[in-house]
Amino acid sequence: DSAVFGFGFFYSNYNNKLAGAEEKESSNGLRVSGQHGAFGWKLNLGLTNSAETTTAKLTGNMYANLGLRYKMDTMSYAFDYTTWGAKVETVPATTTAQEHDYANIQLRAVNSVKAESNEFFYGAGLNQTNLKDKVADKKLNRLHLPLIMGFEAKGADWLTLRGSITQSVL
């Protein structure tokens, strides 16, 4: 099997200089992914992220998303980890109004049954989210189990219909 790799860089810069409504935003990051046989991976990094208005300034910590995929026969397995943080300060006093840290882990297993040009899929996952509000000193922890089922059907050479339902339990 041959290996496939991809990468990209993104950059955003915005500056509204209208008097009384000044706004600035800037962000950049890197995306890298690859696949070798049944194994695939991705890494998205937000390196910098900031925004500023006349009354507030947002500074983002590095954003990171790591995804791993594995396909074996009719089963697909996935793992995703995402983390980021953000801080909002008032301007010009630089008082911290908000500060948050976020982390999320997702695991999924999906089985796919194909018949002719149609496909039925079903599976389950596990999703753990942790959010921390550093200013209010509060934490939100959420664990749930998403159940997944759906279909994909060929409508015409140029049309594929896909529908799915995800219902979270726990």
Side-chain angles (χ1 to χ4, degrees):
D1 290 330
S2 65
V4 178
F5 295 97
F7 65 92
F9 178 77
F10 65 89
Y11 172 76
S12 171
N13 191 23
Y14 170 77
N15 193 352
N16 181 6
K17 296 180 182 180
L18 186 61
E22 295 89 352
E23 296 176 321
K24 290 193 270 183
E25 177 273 332
S26 178
S27 61
N28 66 60
L30 179 67
R31 294 183 177 116
V32 184
S33 64
Q35 182 173 344
H36 187 289
F39 180 73
W41 59 273
K42 68 175 181 175
L43 178 63
N44 297 318
L45 295 174
L47 302 174
T48 65
N49 186 14
S50 64
E52 191 170 345
T53 66
T54 56
T55 60
K57 178 180 180 180
L58 176 134
T59 306
N61 295 346
M62 186 171 83
Y63 164 88
N65 169 249
L66 171 67
L68 304 173
R69 306 289 185 266
Y70 183 74
K71 186 164 175 81
M72 184 174 61
D73 297 324
T74 62
M75 291 295 296
S76 296
Y77 302 95
F79 166 82
D80 281 279
Y81 176 73
T82 304
T83 183
W84 56 261
K87 182 178 186 178
V88 178
E89 298 174 308
T90 57
V91 175
T94 62
T95 303
T96 302
Q98 296 181 41
E99 188 170 2
H100 302 282
D101 284 334
Y102 172 89
N104 177 262
I105 296 174
Q106 293 183 35
L107 300 168
R108 287 180 306 284
V110 177
N111 189 30
S112 177
V113 179
K114 294 183 180 182
E116 296 178 18
S117 60
N118 301 321
E119 179 179 355
F120 173 72
F121 55 92
Y122 59 94
L126 189 63
N127 190 326
Q128 171 69 43
T129 301
N130 298 315
L131 180 61
K132 183 175 183 182
D133 181 338
K134 292 182 173 183
V135 173
D137 194 29
K138 292 185 178 180
K139 294 180 183 178
L140 168 72
N141 297 313
R142 181 178 179 209
L143 175 68
H144 64 98
L145 175 72
L147 302 176
I148 306 156
M149 65 183 262
F151 71 94
E152 187 171 287
K154 189 96 167 161
D157 289 343
W158 55 271
L159 177 66
T160 300
L161 302 171
R162 183 178 178 108
S164 64
I165 297 172
T166 301
Q167 177 63 51
S168 293
V169 295
L170 283 181

